[in-house]
Amino acid sequence: MKPDSTKYHLINVADGHEFEDKGWTLSDPVGKTPSLVRAVYDNRSFEPRTDLDGIYRYANWMPVSRTLKKSCAPVTYKSKGLAKHLGLNNLYITYSGWNPKLGAKFRTCSFKETEAYSVLARMDSREKRVLVVQSAGNTARAFAQVCSDNRIPVVICVPCDCLHDLWFTKKLNKCVKLVTVPHGCDYYDAISVGEKLAENPMFMLEGGAKNIARRDGMGTTILSFAEKTGVIPDAYFQAVGSGTGAIAAWENACRLAQDPRFGKNNMKVFVAQNKPFTLIYDSWKAGSRELLPLDPEVGRREAEIILAKVLSNRKPPYSIAGGLFDVLKASGGDVYLADNNDIMYWMMQFRNLEGYELLPSACVAVAALAKAVEEGRVAKEDNIMLNCTGGGTLAAMSKGYVFKQSDLEIAPETPSEEIIAKVKALF
């Protein structure tokens, strides 16, 4: 099924320059400072599409020209158990995982599917280049599954230490190629390999946070909340590695505020990291727009320690105009920390209170919410959105699963020419 092409143009967040999308524009070609570009949709009213399935019900605010099969939209419901435990009257959980009873059927159990279905639907169906995606785990699984289902060639670069996350309910199509960096390397090293690969015209970088489709796909979480409640949240909670999901939530809150039915955007954005990987937290608490220095070896060691390994990005879109620093500042938000003990505690508590299990990263967000309540940062009557970004792995895996093995392992310091030659040989 193909929707009417969504009509939009792009704007440079730093200077307000407006221009047209050339199809895969990731930045303003005449911009003078590093900046995200944002999609400005012709349709300023929030209107879910009743003629489209899954995530594409929000296609009016997604830069897509086609739909892909087997997508699912995030599900929002009013919490009872956790809300009562925390003393909150209007706590809503937006869930993106596997829980058919809730209506959530994310087969890879992560909200990273929202990115994949949006990014890949932005691609021209006639595109001949091979997409390159870099990931610490969940994004890899999502893109691998969606590309396999829709036979879209992709090279996914991940740390070898994340291979245990690359499980699937059945064997993937051969169009999906997995390139790993060796034991001890981290997400930043996987990014480096992908960037070298994309120096060749056969390949194209997905673009990460700079890709409007990635952000607007992730932003469907807040659209799910708005559709359920009819309001913009007073407070938004999410665990972050890069912070792209929080940026996306803020951008869609701003879009909703243009629709008179939703009022002003007074949403505070609260994000959280898994201690001891605290790059965003440390930079924010220092009042610094620039990320504080982080020794690569220290970063790799910290990434090995944390339970929520997907929250270990050494190169997040924090400083760039329109990035996480600007979102936290504009919203009056803050950054929290949760250690591994907090994660284990809330994994058990959440299951007891809400009846299903979350991924460790989502429990970092739950811990942040609990701390915000304790500190009085949110009020009992506030409309609160808790973005639970994944869960249900045990249920999803119960009928069997297979792991995707690495097609090629290569060190990040390998010269570009060698990386390109070896990956080309996979095809």
Side-chain angles (χ1 to χ4, degrees):
M1 182 184 297
K2 181 177 179 180
D4 297 332
S5 294
T6 306
K7 295 179 180 177
Y8 66 94
H9 63 274
L10 302 179
I11 186 169
N12 182 322
V13 177
D15 60 20
H17 174 232
E18 299 187 15
F19 57 104
E20 296 303 315
D21 185 9
K22 299 298 184 182
W24 203 254
T25 303
L26 300 177
S27 61
D28 183 352
V30 299
K32 295 181 173 58
T33 59
S35 176
L36 294 179
V37 296
R38 187 176 295 166
V40 179
Y41 295 99
D42 288 5
N43 188 343
R44 302 298 178 93
S45 297
F46 174 48
E47 298 175 355
R49 295 277 298 267
T50 57
D51 59 322
L52 296 177
D53 297 327
I55 196 173
Y56 299 112
R57 67 182 286 100
Y58 303 124
N60 285 348
W61 283 1
M62 296 168 65
V64 299
S65 59
R66 57 173 172 158
T67 64
L68 303 174
K69 60 184 181 180
K70 299 186 178 181
S71 77
C72 181
V75 174
T76 298
Y77 70 95
K78 191 171 186 179
S79 168
K80 294 181 180 179
L82 181 62
K84 182 178 180 180
H85 182 78
L86 296 177
L88 299 171
N89 286 345
N90 296 299
L91 172 62
Y92 291 84
I93 294 172
T94 299
Y95 178 70
S96 306
W98 179 263
N99 189 329
K101 289 183 180 180
L102 290 178
K105 297 182 180 181
F106 286 68
R107 287 170 303 139
T108 64
C109 303
S110 166
F111 94 134
K112 297 297 185 179
E113 284 186 32
T114 63
E115 303 175 23
Y117 279 108
S118 183
V119 168
L120 295 168
R122 185 189 184 194
M123 286 180 66
D124 192 310
S125 59
R126 298 163 296 181
E127 178 63 63
K128 299 301 183 184
R129 291 173 295 174
V130 177
L131 190 67
V132 177
V133 175
Q134 303 116 309
S135 171
N138 287 339
T139 299
R141 194 161 71 251
F143 272 87
Q145 185 67 69
V146 179
C147 285
S148 178
D149 289 340
N150 293 277
R151 299 181 180 273
I152 300 171
V154 66
V155 176
I156 301 175
C157 305
V158 300
C160 178
D161 295 340
C162 296
L163 279 174
H164 62 279
D165 286 327
L166 296 182
W167 59 268
F168 303 90
T169 55
K170 64 180 182 180
K171 188 177 179 180
L172 298 178
N173 186 279
K174 63 182 181 180
C175 66
V176 178
K177 304 300 183 184
L178 187 64
V179 175
T180 55
V181 289
H183 174 70
C185 292
D186 66 0
Y187 178 33
Y188 185 84
D189 296 312
I191 290 174
S192 177
V193 168
E195 288 176 344
K196 289 180 179 180
L197 184 59
E199 292 174 12
N200 186 275
M202 176 179 170
F203 303 98
M204 59 184 291
L205 280 177
E206 178 268 331
K210 293 181 179 180
N211 193 323
I212 57 168
R214 175 181 275 221
R215 302 202 313 274
D216 291 354
M218 298 170 90
T220 58
T221 53
I222 203 164
L223 299 184
S224 172
F225 177 95
E227 186 176 11
K228 175 70 175 180
T229 66
V231 300
I232 299 171
D234 296 307
Y236 170 92
F237 288 84
Q238 185 192 325
V240 296
S242 70
T244 307
I247 298 168
W250 176 253
E251 290 176 328
N252 264 349
C254 292
R255 291 187 181 111
L256 287 166
Q258 296 175 349
D259 186 328
R261 294 173 297 170
F262 293 92
K264 294 182 179 179
N265 177 17
N266 297 315
M267 183 176 79
K268 291 182 171 62
V269 175
F270 296 102
V271 300
Q273 293 201 286
N274 187 180
K275 187 178 181 180
F277 196 98
T278 58
L279 178 58
I280 290 173
Y281 175 90
D282 294 339
S283 302
W284 173 251
K285 292 300 184 181
S288 173
R289 168 179 280 277
E290 299 305 318
L291 288 167
L292 298 184
L294 177 62
D295 180 85
E297 289 307 314
V298 172
R300 292 185 182 104
R301 187 162 60 249
E302 291 173 348
E304 288 181 351
I305 294 171
I306 62 175
L307 279 177
K309 297 194 182 301
V310 295
L311 305 183
S312 58
N313 189 336
R314 284 193 280 131
K315 196 178 179 181
Y318 175 84
S319 307
I320 191 170
L324 188 58
F325 178 86
D326 284 344
V327 167
L328 291 170
K329 195 171 182 63
S331 72
D334 206 352
V335 186
Y336 283 93
L337 293 179
D339 61 24
N340 288 347
N341 289 334
D342 294 325
I343 291 174
M344 295 303 298
Y345 173 79
W346 283 110
M347 285 183 77
M348 292 183 287
Q349 280 284 59
F350 191 92
R351 184 172 182 82
N352 290 335
L353 294 167
E354 293 293 330
Y356 59 95
E357 50 105 359
L358 293 180
L359 292 177
S361 53
C363 289
V364 172
V366 182
L369 172 60
K371 290 177 183 178
V373 171
E374 183 181 341
E375 294 174 1
R377 299 293 299 276
V378 293
K380 184 176 183 178
E381 299 299 328
D382 282 350
N383 287 296
I384 300 169
M385 175 178 164
L386 176 62
N387 190 350
C388 289
T389 54
T393 53
L394 294 178
M397 298 170 75
S398 64
K399 294 183 179 180
Y401 56 91
V402 295
F403 286 98
K404 169 64 178 171
Q405 300 300 320
S406 174
D407 293 293
L408 173 68
E409 182 175 301
I410 197 159
E413 62 271 16
T414 305
S416 300
E417 296 79 6
E418 184 177 342
I419 292 176
I420 292 166
K422 289 187 175 182
V423 174
K424 274 187 171 183
L426 298 177
F427 291 90

